[in-house]
Amino acid sequence: MSKSSRKIAILFILPVIIFYLVMAIYPFVSMVYESFTNLNLTIPHSGQFIGLSNYFAIFQDPLALSSIDFSAMVIYIAVPVEMILGLVFAYLIRGLKGEKIFRTLFLIPMMIPGIVFGIAAQMIFNYLFGAANYFLSFLGIQPVAWLGQAATAQFVIIFLDVLQWTPFVFLIIYAGLLSVPQDLIDAAKVDGANGWQAFLHVEFPTLKPLIYVALIIRIIDALKIFGKIYMTTWGGPGTATSSWSFYIYKVGVSYGWDIGYASALAVILLIVSTILVNILIRFLNLGEQLGISKEA
């Protein structure tokens, strides 16, 4: 490429670079700096450097610690259920009569925003006129305060997350199943394997990298769960359904305006997400599974 062509190319990409610096890099650097300050929008002349005080305060904050509990609950309950259901549905729908129709219908929940899911949940699980209690009445069961009790409110949030994101896992695994060479399956059947054995010993090993990728993506997204909580339970009752990201919103925007402390919470979330993803990549040996060598 000549120097003049290179200059023209740089001019074309320069607006994108500037936009990225202004909209992504600057806010990130600002957030990290503010996490070391006492910046509070309700206190005049705040914003002085206070070192690691905000970070030390996190470990003494019972609301932050309870947010960790619910975020962890979403990860170790909702994510495994989504992975299993996505795999099962991908296996069952493939080759089924009306496959394209079922596939399209199954993907609809994934295309609905979390806010809309929250509004629908408020109506469905309403104590007085919700559809859930209406159907329970046919079974002679007393109405349940779905959003007014800790256990049931947690169930509702996890149920909504599973309902919305199982299709995402399904889509990845389903695409992987369609890409498995038919010759391998035919060879297994010639050797006497039935459909389940062919899936278990031929198709499933080829799906492992995709399953691992879907798992990592879902864990990262589960750590950021916000919309359903915002529109459904507002973190309640008490702090039963308050996730870490929702607590950041409450501290920094909703009632606290404590930007310094909220920034520290956000930095902790970023650090935990990065460490967790790297541990998973190493533990699952994802680079080798995807055929990415270290030399590359």
Side-chain angles (χ1 to χ4, degrees):
M1 181 182 293
S2 64
K3 289 185 177 180
S4 60
S5 299
R6 188 174 301 171
K7 289 180 179 179
I8 293 174
I10 292 175
L11 287 175
F12 273 110
I13 65 173
L14 188 60
V16 178
I17 295 175
I18 295 175
F19 180 81
Y20 179 72
L21 291 173
V22 173
M23 301 302 295
I25 302 301
Y26 172 74
F28 172 74
V29 174
S30 177
M31 178 192 71
V32 174
Y33 170 75
E34 288 167 356
S35 70
F36 297 102
T37 70
N38 62 353
L39 179 61
N40 190 313
L41 299 185
T42 63
I43 301 177
H45 310 297
S46 62
Q48 289 77 23
F49 184 81
I50 58 173
L52 297 173
S53 297
N54 286 327
Y55 292 93
F56 291 140
I58 292 174
F59 298 99
Q60 301 174 354
D61 185 352
L63 298 180
L65 298 179
S66 65
S67 299
I68 294 176
D69 292 339
F70 183 67
S71 296
M73 182 182 298
V74 174
I75 292 175
Y76 66 71
I77 295 180
V79 174
V81 172
E82 292 162 6
M83 299 300 299
I84 294 172
L85 290 180
L87 178 62
V88 170
F89 284 126
Y91 175 76
L92 294 178
I93 289 179
R94 184 194 51 169
L96 193 67
K97 187 176 181 180
E99 176 181 355
K100 293 183 179 180
I101 297 175
F102 285 113
R103 180 180 61 199
T104 302
L105 293 175
F106 196 70
L107 293 178
I108 290 177
M110 187 179 67
M111 296 182 286
I112 300 176
I115 298 295
V116 177
F117 256 86
I119 295 174
Q122 279 189 328
M123 295 186 290
I124 293 172
F125 294 101
N126 185 276
Y127 179 77
L128 296 176
F129 53 80
N133 283 339
Y134 177 74
F135 286 111
L136 287 180
S137 66
F138 288 108
L139 302 175
I141 301 176
Q142 294 296 319
V144 177
W146 295 99
L147 304 179
Q149 303 175 34
T152 53
Q154 291 170 348
F155 166 80
V156 169
I157 298 299
I158 291 173
F159 171 77
L160 293 176
D161 195 73
V162 170
L163 182 63
Q164 184 176 25
W165 291 113
T166 295
F168 170 79
V169 179
F170 157 81
L171 183 62
I172 293 179
I173 297 177
Y174 177 78
L177 283 174
L178 295 182
S179 67
V180 176
Q182 187 62 35
D183 294 343
L184 295 178
I185 302 174
D186 294 338
K189 291 182 178 179
V190 168
D191 291 336
N194 56 33
W196 168 249
Q197 290 172 330
F199 170 78
L200 188 62
H201 298 290
V202 177
E203 296 177 295
F204 184 74
T206 63
L207 292 175
K208 279 186 178 180
L210 294 177
I211 293 174
Y212 294 159
V213 170
L215 175 64
I216 291 174
I217 293 174
R218 283 302 307 129
I219 289 177
I220 295 173
D221 194 65
L223 284 170
K224 301 183 297 179
I225 184 171
F226 175 81
K228 304 176 190 70
I229 298 173
Y230 178 86
M231 293 303 301
T232 307
T233 63
W234 194 256
T239 59
T241 59
S242 178
S243 66
W244 189 269
S245 57
F246 184 75
Y247 185 58
I248 294 173
Y249 166 78
K250 290 175 69 176
V251 170
V253 178
S254 176
Y255 67 83
W257 297 100
D258 191 345
I259 304 301
Y261 188 53
S263 297
L265 290 168
V267 170
I268 291 294
L269 177 61
L270 176 63
I271 293 173
V272 170
S273 300
T274 304
I275 293 175
L276 184 58
V277 168
N278 279 278
I279 290 175
L280 285 171
I281 289 175
R282 290 180 178 274
F283 178 75
L284 300 174
N285 201 13
L286 190 59
E288 184 177 334
Q289 293 284 345
L290 294 174
I292 304 173
S293 62
K294 293 182 179 180
E295 293 75 16

